[in-house]
Amino acid sequence: MNQPKIVRPETSQPARAQWFDRKKYVTVNFMVHKPKCVQVAFHPDKMILCCKNDEDDVIYNELYFYDRIQIHDSRERVYDRTINMLIRKLTPDVAWPRLQKDPAKSSWISVDFDNWRDWAHEEDDGKAEYDNYMDKIQEIGGHRVGVAPDMGDLSDSD
């Protein structure tokens, strides 16, 4: 898989981006109105996005990730108002506390709280919920006394 060689343009601006974390993937959505000439390059430690918007402004984002990624299983998809990146983590089941390697916050990156989930303790929460459900089922089932009624007299034939 040949990655395009993307050179930083002399005059460019970064696209605003929102990101959220999942167990195996990190999703980054770049807000670009009617993107064209889109070039994306994934590297083990970073990604580069270069494109133009509907006003022919040059957009350039270079992002060094918090942790390494699988470049061959990371994808981008271009829509009318966004460029969505699905980035596969090299080490799944490890939460990323931030998107970038650098702890300083970039002004163009924000967290997508609508899609954010604290999945690190998801199995524990699910197990507690399941145990609570099973306890309620046992309680409900424990109130039935006696044997099940014989339904042999119910038949389809007259």
Side-chain angles (χ1 to χ4, degrees):
M1 180 175 184
N2 269 341
Q3 295 269 341
K5 176 73 173 151
I6 301 173
V7 179
R8 178 181 218 124
E10 287 184 31
T11 57
S12 64
Q13 63 188 23
R16 209 170 57 84
Q18 286 189 323
W19 77 284
F20 60 93
D21 187 31
R22 289 288 194 260
K23 286 184 177 197
K24 295 180 182 178
Y25 292 92
V26 171
T27 301
V28 184
N29 299 325
F30 291 93
M31 305 340 164
V32 180
H33 190 58
K34 295 186 180 173
K36 54 188 174 185
C37 306
V38 177
Q39 293 179 302
V40 177
F42 292 106
H43 301 276
D45 61 339
K46 71 176 182 177
M47 64 141 298
I48 299 171
L49 166 69
C50 188
C51 66
K52 290 184 178 184
N53 64 10
D54 61 339
E55 297 174 354
D56 283 336
D57 297 327
V58 178
I59 307 294
Y60 182 86
N61 291 76
E62 187 168 4
L63 182 60
Y64 286 87
F65 294 119
Y66 173 78
D67 202 356
R68 297 178 65 81
I69 66 165
Q70 293 183 15
I71 61 173
H72 299 296
D73 200 14
S74 297
R75 302 282 183 263
E76 79 277 354
R77 189 150 198 198
V78 179
Y79 293 97
D80 206 26
R81 295 177 185 235
T82 61
I83 302 169
N84 297 349
M85 310 282 177
L86 189 62
I87 300 159
R88 179 82 179 242
K89 297 177 181 180
L90 190 62
T91 52
D93 299 332
V94 175
W96 285 17
R98 61 185 180 274
L99 180 61
Q100 291 185 320
K101 187 175 207 77
D102 185 9
K105 292 185 177 183
S106 296
S107 61
W108 52 272
I109 298 176
S110 63
V111 176
D112 186 354
F113 288 107
D114 291 339
N115 288 309
W116 192 274
R117 278 196 342 234
D118 185 17
W119 55 263
H121 305 291
E122 205 168 67
E123 286 91 22
D124 299 338
D125 293 344
K127 175 139 177 45
E129 201 173 305
Y130 174 76
D131 290 342
N132 187 22
Y133 173 75
M134 290 308 291
D135 290 343
K136 289 205 185 288
I137 293 294
Q138 291 297 328
E139 287 175 21
I140 293 170
H143 294 306
R144 292 189 184 183
V145 181
V147 283
D150 180 28
M151 297 188 165
D153 60 339
L154 300 175
S155 65
D156 290 342
S157 62
D158 287 342

